[in-house]
Amino acid sequence: GAGVSQSPSNKVTEKGKDVELRCDPISGHTALYWYRQSLGQGLEFLIYFQGNSAPDKSGLPSDRFSAERTGGSVSTLTIQRTQQEDSAVYLCASRRQESAEKLFFGSGTQLSVL
Amino acid sequence: AQSVSQHNHHVILSEAASLELGCNYSYGGTVNLFWYVQYPGQHLQLLLKYFSGDPLVKGIKGFEAEFIKSKFSFNLRKPSVQWSDTAEYFCAVNRNTGGFKTIFGAGTRLFVKA
């Protein structure tokens, strides 16, 4: 595609519900990241998929968070039993290969947990 | 733990003032350094990057940054800011090892008064 696509753009949910956030990276990009952006916390690294290697999950804040990348393309970030502190913008980024090249970012999913 | 520190969280300047935003990182070894910018309502985009060579790099819109290895710093500068530079600025680092995992700083919100 022309750019990194994320859906939904906005998600409002009730505390305790599960949510799924989707990311479609640029076609052919092998590296895919999820970040969380919240006030005062900047861009917090969550998880990194790099080609066929095992993902780097070191940034996931708790076991309620998980992510998958199917077929080396689309990725889904799942948050189970959402809490109010999960409210943030969740950003996806992709890169052509495992290199020092720049990241291409999506527009993010604004998650609000009531 | 590896980290990226941005010293100023909020900066307010008048047009034509000079800008310098600090960035320090804690990685050892060879690093690749980036500044990204997020204009209001837009995606994060690359402003400039340093991989090797001349430690003074120039980016878009008159921005430049200087890599000082001995200080583990990569400060962003612009001699004369414009109202259109109002944005959030993020410093980022990755290394040639570890799959080029990219870590961001907390960001600096710049507001330029017309």
Side-chain angles (χ1 to χ4, degrees), chain A residues 35-45 91, chain B residues 2-11 21-25 27 34-38 44 87-93 102-110:
Chain A
Y35 293 93
R36 179 166 69 177
Q37 185 177 21
S38 50
L39 279 175
Q41 300 298 318
L43 275 172
E44 179 187 4
F45 167 80
L91 289 169
Chain B
Q2 298 158 346
S3 66
V4 180
S5 298
Q6 292 184 238
H7 313 303
N8 313 98
H9 295 299
H10 292 90
V11 174
L21 302 182
C23 173
N24 287 89
Y25 60 93
Y27 293 67
F34 308 81
W35 277 95
Y36 284 81
V37 61
Q38 188 173 31
L44 271 151
E88 190 160 15
Y89 294 82
F90 294 90
C91 182
V93 181
T102 304
I103 300 298
F104 286 78
T108 297
R109 287 180 177 261
L110 171 66

Side-chain angles (χ1 to χ4, degrees), chain A residues 14-78:
Chain A
E14 293 178 349
K15 178 181 172 181
K17 301 276 189 179
D18 297 352
V19 296
E20 284 190 352
L21 313 180
R22 178 186 169 103
C23 172
D24 275 289
I26 293 172
S27 178
H29 280 199
T30 59
L32 186 148
Y33 291 78
W34 283 98
Y35 293 93
R36 179 166 69 177
Q37 185 177 21
S38 50
L39 279 175
Q41 300 298 318
L43 275 172
E44 179 187 4
F45 167 80
L46 297 178
I47 188 168
Y48 171 33
F49 295 90
Q50 41 178 342
N52 295 321
S53 302
D56 181 336
K57 304 179 180 182
S58 61
L60 295 177
S62 77
D63 58 8
R64 295 187 294 106
F65 287 72
S66 63
E68 291 184 340
R69 189 177 185 191
T70 54
S73 181
V74 172
S75 177
T76 302
L77 177 69
T78 301

Side-chain angles (χ1 to χ4, degrees), chain B residues 17-88:
Chain B
S18 64
L19 170 71
E20 181 160 4
L21 302 182
C23 173
N24 287 89
Y25 60 93
S26 65
Y27 293 67
T30 303
V31 294
N32 305 300
L33 299 155
F34 308 81
W35 277 95
Y36 284 81
V37 61
Q38 188 173 31
Y39 296 103
Q42 295 188 25
H43 297 193
L44 271 151
Q45 59 185 284
L46 183 70
L47 198 55
L48 49 77
K49 61 186 179 184
Y50 170 80
F51 294 164
S52 63
D54 188 345
L56 184 63
V57 293
K58 297 189 183 298
I60 60 173
K61 303 186 180 186
F63 285 90
E64 65 180 31
E66 184 176 12
F67 170 51
I68 303 179
K69 189 174 182 179
S70 61
K71 294 185 178 180
F72 296 87
S73 71
F74 189 57
N75 291 356
L76 180 71
R77 299 195 292 251
K78 186 171 183 178
S80 176
V81 295
Q82 301 174 309
W83 175 80
S84 58
D85 294 324
T86 294
E88 190 160 15

Side-chain angles (χ1 to χ4, degrees), chain A residues 9-11 21 35-39 41-42 44 46 65 79 83-91 108-113:
Chain A
S9 55
N10 283 284
K11 176 72 177 177
L21 313 180
Y35 293 93
R36 179 166 69 177
Q37 185 177 21
S38 50
L39 279 175
Q41 300 298 318
E44 179 187 4
L46 297 178
F65 287 72
I79 309 174
Q83 303 294 312
Q84 288 182 333
E85 61 262 29
D86 299 334
S87 296
V89 176
Y90 289 82
L91 289 169
T109 294
Q110 172 74 63
L111 175 66
S112 300
V113 182

